[in-house]
Amino acid sequence: MTINHHSLTGTNLLQTALAKPYHYRRSGRYYLRLRPQGTAKGFYTLSLRTTDKATAMTISKDILKTLAAFHLDNPEATWDELRERLADIAEECLTMAHGDDSLVAYEMIYDELRLSLREASAKGPMTIDQQRAASKAEDILEAAQERLKGRPGKLIGIVEELRGVPCGTPVAPYLSLSVNASKALTFEHLSGLYMAEQKDNVQASTMRDVKSSCAAISAVLGGLDLKEHTRADMVGLKAKLLEDRKGSTVNKLLTRLSTVMDWAVHNGYLDKSFDKGLKLSKDADSSREALSQDQVQALMDHTKTLQADAWQRWALSLGVITGSRIEELRQLTKADVKQVGGVWVIDINRNDGKTAKTKHSLRVVPLTDGAYGFDLKAFLEFVEKSDTRLFTLGAGQFSGVLNGALRDVLKLKTDRTQTFHSLRHSLAGALKAAEVPVGTAEAILGHSSGSISYDLYGAGSAVEVGRMAEALKVAFQ
């Protein structure tokens, strides 16, 4: 939870009577605005860290309830009265049920409340009993954060201390609702927590890949409790994945495994992880095989039999001569086909809501007239007649039609070792065979480059685009 303070110097949220709260939504996320009674200027804005309205309203309600319970502005309150309030709060923190969204949100909320309590203790005119209550309240919030990580013991101890009796039976039924030490922490559950935290930070297409990868790993690990996992479990996972997958695919899954496991260790869900050093060597078989030059030529010969206004003709042709990813092509607009330094290019960008795999994917790629018979003039006429988008199908349909065309024309196997993505491998192979410098090849394909950096939109753009255009002409000879 992020709190923004506005014109409230010297005022503490925990010691202020609040006006009616106000909720609003910005960039998909929900926020709670709090204002002290008696003033129209000062207010606090709290980010609820969720895009789900129901979750936001639940979190908001609980925040307000907690703030009200922590009001420490009554100097007449006795320790017994304050202790009773603290016991209620501690018990609620212990027994509250959480979903994946609220687990992440409440860890941040408790952090912010602890900071506010410290401010109240440092600046507020408090009695000894109030200071004692503020100190215990901070202990409660710290223990509540531990409970969110599956370690409720400290919070149970605080409840017993404040109540003067063991927690007993009433608390026990609620413990199964949280991530607690007695519950197996499976990869399916752990990856769910990871994805809930990351979902607002990654592109939708990337999140689909994350879900797919995590599901494949979860299917193998099943009910294994990761709190007790061993190196043998991780080696067994690798062996099982290799039974029906290529080495490069397994490497990608193991990379995803390590990402989730590292996150779990850093966030206190696991004490240690045994997933390192499992990946295969760098020359592991690729999950995609390049198309041969004969296959590429056969595909281009097929495109020339299609009508000049057939979108399939140009989508397939662009795949061949630019090596662009299928989603990069699907999102192209009329404005993305332009000239840079006298060279016609396609501009792969994030304008108008388009997405890209990485920042290195943002690039321009020259269009090579005559490559495998590509007709630049006919393509530009197609572009001119198009509306805003060159291709109007959704992602699934677009991919299905193009990959289906490749299978039909080239009689490909159904094992997906050769797909539309294989055209990228074909172009990469042609660039390598033509001894094109690695930096230039990476700029064309949109790979990260540690050897050279291109300014494709600045003063030197014409020079760099010219260099790429010449490299492609050589590769296509």
Side-chain angles (χ1 to χ4, degrees), residues 347-373:
D347 186 353
I348 297 170
N349 55 63
R350 286 177 173 155
N351 300 342
D352 304 317
K354 296 195 291 290
T355 61
K357 186 175 182 180
T358 69
K359 65 179 181 180
H360 302 289
S361 301
L362 306 178
R363 65 197 188 282
V364 298
V365 186
L367 301 174
T368 309
D369 191 22
Y372 299 105

Side-chain angles (χ1 to χ4, degrees), residues 17-29:
L18 301 175
K20 185 177 179 179
Y22 168 66
H23 297 89
Y24 66 95
R25 191 179 183 190
R26 186 174 66 204
S27 300
R29 289 195 178 190

Side-chain angles (χ1 to χ4, degrees), residues 2 51 53 56 78 83 102 113 137 155 158 181 281 291 362 408 468:
T2 301
T51 59
K53 183 176 182 181
T78 66
R83 183 180 61 188
S102 63
L113 291 176
L155 193 54
I158 290 176
S281 61
L291 297 175
L362 306 178
D408 292 343
M468 288 192 292

Side-chain angles (χ1 to χ4, degrees), residues 400-468:
V401 171
L402 295 184
N403 278 299
L406 260 70
R407 286 194 298 271
D408 292 343
V409 173
L410 303 178
K411 310 303 180 186
L412 301 180
K413 297 178 181 179
T414 58
D415 60 3
R416 296 188 60 79
T417 55
Q418 288 185 314
T419 66
F420 189 92
H421 196 77
S422 297
L423 295 173
R424 280 178 63 78
H425 293 264
S426 298
L427 181 56
L431 291 168
K432 183 176 181 180
E435 299 183 351
V436 171
V438 64
T440 304
E442 288 177 335
I444 292 169
L445 294 169
H447 289 153
S448 60
S449 175
S451 59
I452 193 167
S453 177
Y454 286 101
D455 179 11
L456 297 178
Y457 301 96
S461 59
V463 174
E464 305 302 350
V465 170
R467 185 178 301 174
M468 288 192 292

Side-chain angles (χ1 to χ4, degrees), residues 280-454:
L280 302 171
S281 61
K282 290 184 179 180
D283 59 352
D285 292 336
S286 172
S287 60
R288 294 287 183 269
E289 293 179 4
L291 297 175
S292 69
Q293 291 302 303
D294 288 342
Q295 286 177 307
V296 173
Q297 187 62 64
L299 181 63
M300 287 298 288
D301 289 343
H302 166 72
T303 66
K304 288 182 284 186
T305 68
L306 301 177
Q307 296 294 322
D309 59 354
W311 68 266
Q312 296 95 324
R313 173 177 178 173
W314 304 115
L316 291 169
S317 297
L318 291 177
V320 169
I321 69 166
T322 69
S324 298
R325 299 175 179 91
I326 197 166
E327 184 64 5
E328 292 172 343
L329 294 179
R330 188 187 71 84
Q331 298 178 96
L332 285 175
T333 67
K334 195 172 184 176
D336 295 331
V337 181
K338 59 188 183 183
Q339 283 187 299
V340 177
V343 176
W344 282 100
V345 301
I346 56 170
D347 186 353
I348 297 170
N349 55 63
R350 286 177 173 155
N351 300 342
D352 304 317
K354 296 195 291 290
T355 61
K357 186 175 182 180
T358 69
K359 65 179 181 180
H360 302 289
S361 301
L362 306 178
R363 65 197 188 282
V364 298
V365 186
L367 301 174
T368 309
D369 191 22
Y372 299 105
F374 175 71
D375 189 338
L376 178 59
K377 180 181 178 182
F379 172 64
L380 295 177
E381 290 174 353
F382 167 78
V383 172
E384 184 60 31
K385 294 176 183 178
S386 300
D387 293 327
T388 303
R389 296 279 295 273
L390 300 190
F391 311 112
T392 58
L393 290 185
Q397 287 181 301
F398 188 76
S399 175
V401 171
L402 295 184
N403 278 299
L406 260 70
R407 286 194 298 271
D408 292 343
V409 173
L410 303 178
K411 310 303 180 186
L412 301 180
K413 297 178 181 179
T414 58
D415 60 3
R416 296 188 60 79
T417 55
Q418 288 185 314
T419 66
F420 189 92
H421 196 77
S422 297
L423 295 173
R424 280 178 63 78
H425 293 264
S426 298
L427 181 56
L431 291 168
K432 183 176 181 180
E435 299 183 351
V436 171
V438 64
T440 304
E442 288 177 335
I444 292 169
L445 294 169
H447 289 153
S448 60
S449 175
S451 59
I452 193 167
S453 177
Y454 286 101

